[in-house]
Amino acid sequence: TQEHLTDRIIEALDLGDAPPADTPAEEVLVSDKDGDPPNGTYSYKSVIGMLLYLSGHSRPDIAMAVSQVARFSHDPKRSHEKALERIGLYLKKTRKKGLILRPTKELDVDAYVDTDFAGCASTRRSTSGGCILIGSCTIKHWSKTQATISLSSGEAELHGIAMGCSQGLGIQSLMRDLGWDLKLRVFSDATAAIGIARRKGLGKIRHLDCTDLWIQDTIRSGRITLDKVLGANNPADILTKYVEKKALDM
């Protein structure tokens, strides 16, 4: 169970007597080739594996922090180890947190997306985050580093919208196979990216690729509805950046 796996992580990190933390992380990690070596007695990769399983299934609140520490599994330093232990301290306080699936009469596929532009201080790659809801139930979420370096926040957000569209279409297709023909709505808090996605053609942004043109074509076809959501109300926000405790309690 989720609580059993959480207890295994806390035990592996030897955090039994340590005070719990209110948030899963404090700052963005930077790759430190010359940093101090780790001094923990546990297997860094083993704990990362358990955290990836936990965050991918039922704990979206730690997905961003876990994706950060997972980057350094090949050569962890003490700073990465401390960040890993911070996640464990947060889990210690929030052992019973998780996703709740409730009965709902509103059967639409809603995808919320957000992006942290150039958030990785070592590579300046952006992070795409998103979650998909059917009614009020979250059935999928992600926090992933983008494959390419974006030249603007609008471009990064556009890539984030593309991922939300593709993931949402996949869920929509699955539901259709099960006999449910559901509408797909994608929500973003990026006004510039929404404007690019709704228009026709590249305009003055010459470096946009086929993926972005595909979004425009898919929206014009009516397969997807793209709408604006306020940043304060966007649930995908916790999947792209470190947030305060009050945001995690939403």
Side-chain angles (χ1 to χ4, degrees):
T1 64
Q2 173 186 310
E3 288 188 50
H4 176 68
L5 182 58
T6 301
D7 290 337
R8 285 185 58 192
I9 294 170
I10 296 172
E11 182 181 357
L13 294 172
D14 193 21
L15 300 175
D17 298 327
D22 291 330
T23 58
E26 290 183 306
E27 59 185 7
V28 176
L29 286 172
V30 179
S31 181
D32 187 4
K33 294 293 184 181
D34 300 322
D36 296 329
N39 57 15
T41 58
Y42 55 85
S43 168
Y44 189 94
K45 289 185 178 181
S46 176
V47 176
I48 288 294
M50 290 188 286
L51 285 171
L52 287 171
Y53 183 88
L54 182 63
S55 65
H57 283 77
S58 59
R59 293 299 300 265
D61 52 328
I62 65 171
M64 173 62 180
V66 172
S67 69
Q68 289 287 316
V69 294
R71 294 181 186 178
F72 308 103
S73 298
H74 62 289
D75 186 23
K77 304 299 181 182
R78 178 55 188 159
S79 59
H80 311 139
E81 192 176 56
K82 289 174 66 177
L84 189 66
E85 293 167 358
R86 172 64 182 241
I87 299 174
L89 294 175
Y90 172 72
L91 289 175
K92 188 176 181 181
K93 187 169 186 176
T94 60
R95 181 181 279 103
K96 295 185 178 182
K97 269 195 172 186
L99 296 176
I100 299 176
L101 302 180
R102 298 185 177 93
T104 178
K105 295 181 179 180
E106 299 180 8
L107 291 182
D108 283 325
V109 180
D110 293 335
Y112 290 85
V113 298
D114 190 37
T115 302
D116 180 27
F117 171 55
C120 179
S122 59
T123 66
R124 286 307 173 196
R125 296 186 188 275
S126 306
T127 298
S128 292
C131 57
I132 296 180
L133 288 74
I134 293 183
S136 60
C137 302
T138 302
I139 62 170
K140 185 179 180 65
H141 62 271
W142 63 89
S143 179
K144 297 181 179 180
T145 302
Q146 293 184 1
T148 59
I149 299 176
S150 298
L151 301 180
S152 66
S153 59
E155 182 183 351
E157 294 282 2
L158 197 57
H159 288 310
I161 290 176
M163 179 172 287
C165 290
S166 60
Q167 296 282 353
L169 286 171
I171 297 296
Q172 184 187 52
S173 177
L174 175 61
M175 296 302 294
R176 189 178 294 114
D177 291 342
L178 296 175
W180 298 88
D181 191 11
L182 306 182
K183 296 180 180 179
L184 171 58
R185 300 179 296 183
V186 178
F187 296 90
S188 171
D189 56 19
T191 302
I194 292 175
I196 296 171
R198 284 177 174 171
R199 73 185 182 193
K200 183 177 182 180
L202 295 175
K204 295 182 180 180
I205 307 177
R206 297 185 179 182
H207 58 273
L208 293 185
D209 56 19
C210 295
T211 299
D212 307 313
L213 292 173
W214 168 79
I215 298 174
Q216 295 178 2
D217 184 65
T218 305
I219 291 174
R220 286 197 304 274
S221 70
R223 296 173 63 195
I224 295 175
T225 301
L226 179 61
D227 291 316
K228 168 83 172 181
V229 62
L230 294 177
N233 299 328
N234 190 351
D237 188 65
I238 66 169
L239 295 158
T240 60
K241 56 186 69 72
Y242 295 117
V243 293
E244 298 177 359
K245 179 181 181 297
K246 61 182 180 181
L248 290 169
D249 292 335
M250 290 178 61

mmCIF file of all heavy atoms in Angstrom, residues 195-196 199-208 213 216:
data_model
loop_
_atom_site.group_PDB
_atom_site.id
_atom_site.type_symbol
_atom_site.label_atom_id
_atom_site.label_comp_id
_atom_site.label_asym_id
_atom_site.label_seq_id
_atom_site.Cartn_x
_atom_site.Cartn_y
_atom_site.Cartn_z
ATOM 1 N N GLY A 195 -2.608 32.243 -27.228
ATOM 2 C CA GLY A 195 -2.783 33.033 -28.444
ATOM 3 C C GLY A 195 -2.104 32.403 -29.643
ATOM 4 O O GLY A 195 -2.667 32.375 -30.747
ATOM 5 N N ILE A 196 -0.898 31.868 -29.439
ATOM 6 C CA ILE A 196 -0.184 31.202 -30.537
ATOM 7 C C ILE A 196 -0.934 29.947 -30.980
ATOM 8 O O ILE A 196 -1.060 29.666 -32.174
ATOM 9 C CB ILE A 196 1.247 30.843 -30.110
ATOM 10 C CG1 ILE A 196 2.052 32.115 -29.809
ATOM 11 C CG2 ILE A 196 1.943 30.022 -31.181
ATOM 12 C CD1 ILE A 196 3.407 31.842 -29.186
ATOM 13 N N ARG A 199 -4.236 30.661 -33.141
ATOM 14 C CA ARG A 199 -4.171 31.301 -34.443
ATOM 15 C C ARG A 199 -3.775 30.287 -35.524
ATOM 16 O O ARG A 199 -3.566 29.107 -35.250
ATOM 17 C CB ARG A 199 -3.175 32.458 -34.420
ATOM 18 C CG ARG A 199 -1.725 32.042 -34.372
ATOM 19 C CD ARG A 199 -0.847 33.251 -34.218
ATOM 20 N NE ARG A 199 0.562 32.879 -34.217
ATOM 21 C CZ ARG A 199 1.538 33.701 -33.853
ATOM 22 N NH1 ARG A 199 1.256 34.920 -33.447
ATOM 23 N NH2 ARG A 199 2.792 33.302 -33.895
ATOM 24 N N LYS A 200 -3.616 30.772 -36.751
ATOM 25 C CA LYS A 200 -3.246 29.901 -37.861
ATOM 26 C C LYS A 200 -1.901 30.337 -38.427
ATOM 27 O O LYS A 200 -1.716 31.488 -38.789
ATOM 28 C CB LYS A 200 -4.310 29.952 -38.953
ATOM 29 C CG LYS A 200 -4.026 29.016 -40.128
ATOM 30 C CD LYS A 200 -5.157 29.054 -41.130
ATOM 31 C CE LYS A 200 -4.887 28.085 -42.284
ATOM 32 N NZ LYS A 200 -5.978 28.093 -43.282
ATOM 33 N N GLY A 201 -0.948 29.421 -38.476
ATOM 34 C CA GLY A 201 0.361 29.717 -39.032
ATOM 35 C C GLY A 201 1.370 30.140 -37.987
ATOM 36 O O GLY A 201 1.057 30.331 -36.816
ATOM 37 N N LEU A 202 2.614 30.292 -38.418
ATOM 38 C CA LEU A 202 3.713 30.604 -37.517
ATOM 39 C C LEU A 202 3.782 32.073 -37.143
ATOM 40 O O LEU A 202 4.323 32.426 -36.106
ATOM 41 C CB LEU A 202 5.044 30.194 -38.162
ATOM 42 C CG LEU A 202 5.238 28.691 -38.389
ATOM 43 C CD1 LEU A 202 6.534 28.454 -39.133
ATOM 44 C CD2 LEU A 202 5.236 27.946 -37.064
ATOM 45 N N GLY A 203 3.284 32.957 -38.000
ATOM 46 C CA GLY A 203 3.418 34.376 -37.730
ATOM 47 C C GLY A 203 4.879 34.790 -37.765
ATOM 48 O O GLY A 203 5.629 34.416 -38.658
ATOM 49 N N LYS A 204 5.307 35.552 -36.772
ATOM 50 C CA LYS A 204 6.691 36.017 -36.714
ATOM 51 C C LYS A 204 7.606 35.072 -35.943
ATOM 52 O O LYS A 204 8.798 35.292 -35.846
ATOM 53 C CB LYS A 204 6.738 37.409 -36.083
ATOM 54 C CG LYS A 204 6.044 38.485 -36.908
ATOM 55 C CD LYS A 204 6.175 39.846 -36.244
ATOM 56 C CE LYS A 204 5.472 40.915 -37.081
ATOM 57 N NZ LYS A 204 5.598 42.265 -36.448
ATOM 58 N N ILE A 205 7.017 34.026 -35.369
ATOM 59 C CA ILE A 205 7.815 33.088 -34.563
ATOM 60 C C ILE A 205 8.296 31.978 -35.484
ATOM 61 O O ILE A 205 7.663 30.930 -35.629
ATOM 62 C CB ILE A 205 6.999 32.536 -33.389
ATOM 63 C CG1 ILE A 205 6.407 33.681 -32.575
ATOM 64 C CG2 ILE A 205 7.865 31.673 -32.479
ATOM 65 C CD1 ILE A 205 5.537 33.238 -31.438
ATOM 66 N N ARG A 206 9.437 32.163 -36.116
ATOM 67 C CA ARG A 206 9.892 31.261 -37.166
ATOM 68 C C ARG A 206 10.431 29.931 -36.646
ATOM 69 O O ARG A 206 10.546 28.969 -37.404
ATOM 70 C CB ARG A 206 10.974 31.958 -37.998
ATOM 71 C CG ARG A 206 10.465 33.194 -38.726
ATOM 72 C CD ARG A 206 11.531 33.778 -39.617
ATOM 73 N NE ARG A 206 11.047 34.946 -40.337
ATOM 74 C CZ ARG A 206 11.760 35.634 -41.208
ATOM 75 N NH1 ARG A 206 13.009 35.261 -41.473
ATOM 76 N NH2 ARG A 206 11.257 36.684 -41.825
ATOM 77 N N HIS A 207 10.831 29.872 -35.370
ATOM 78 C CA HIS A 207 11.473 28.662 -34.887
ATOM 79 C C HIS A 207 10.475 27.643 -34.333
ATOM 80 O O HIS A 207 10.883 26.627 -33.776
ATOM 81 C CB HIS A 207 12.506 29.010 -33.798
ATOM 82 C CG HIS A 207 11.914 29.741 -32.632
ATOM 83 N ND1 HIS A 207 11.778 31.100 -32.601
ATOM 84 C CD2 HIS A 207 11.446 29.291 -31.447
ATOM 85 C CE1 HIS A 207 11.252 31.479 -31.452
ATOM 86 N NE2 HIS A 207 11.029 30.395 -30.741
ATOM 87 N N LEU A 208 9.185 27.904 -34.453
ATOM 88 C CA LEU A 208 8.206 26.911 -34.029
ATOM 89 C C LEU A 208 8.270 25.702 -34.952
ATOM 90 O O LEU A 208 8.527 25.822 -36.143
ATOM 91 C CB LEU A 208 6.799 27.497 -34.046
ATOM 92 C CG LEU A 208 6.512 28.599 -33.023
ATOM 93 C CD1 LEU A 208 5.057 28.992 -33.078
ATOM 94 C CD2 LEU A 208 6.876 28.147 -31.624
ATOM 95 N N LEU A 213 2.377 23.527 -34.826
ATOM 96 C CA LEU A 213 1.393 23.619 -35.903
ATOM 97 C C LEU A 213 0.317 22.552 -35.744
ATOM 98 O O LEU A 213 -0.852 22.771 -36.073
ATOM 99 C CB LEU A 213 2.087 23.473 -37.260
ATOM 100 C CG LEU A 213 3.020 24.627 -37.656
ATOM 101 C CD1 LEU A 213 3.773 24.284 -38.933
ATOM 102 C CD2 LEU A 213 2.242 25.915 -37.841
ATOM 103 N N GLN A 216 -2.341 23.844 -33.364
ATOM 104 C CA GLN A 216 -3.255 24.765 -34.026
ATOM 105 C C GLN A 216 -4.287 24.015 -34.858
ATOM 106 O O GLN A 216 -5.489 24.317 -34.823
ATOM 107 C CB GLN A 216 -2.464 25.726 -34.912
ATOM 108 C CG GLN A 216 -1.523 26.652 -34.147
ATOM 109 C CD GLN A 216 -0.728 27.556 -35.078
ATOM 110 O OE1 GLN A 216 -0.906 27.516 -36.295
ATOM 111 N NE2 GLN A 216 0.137 28.365 -34.512
#
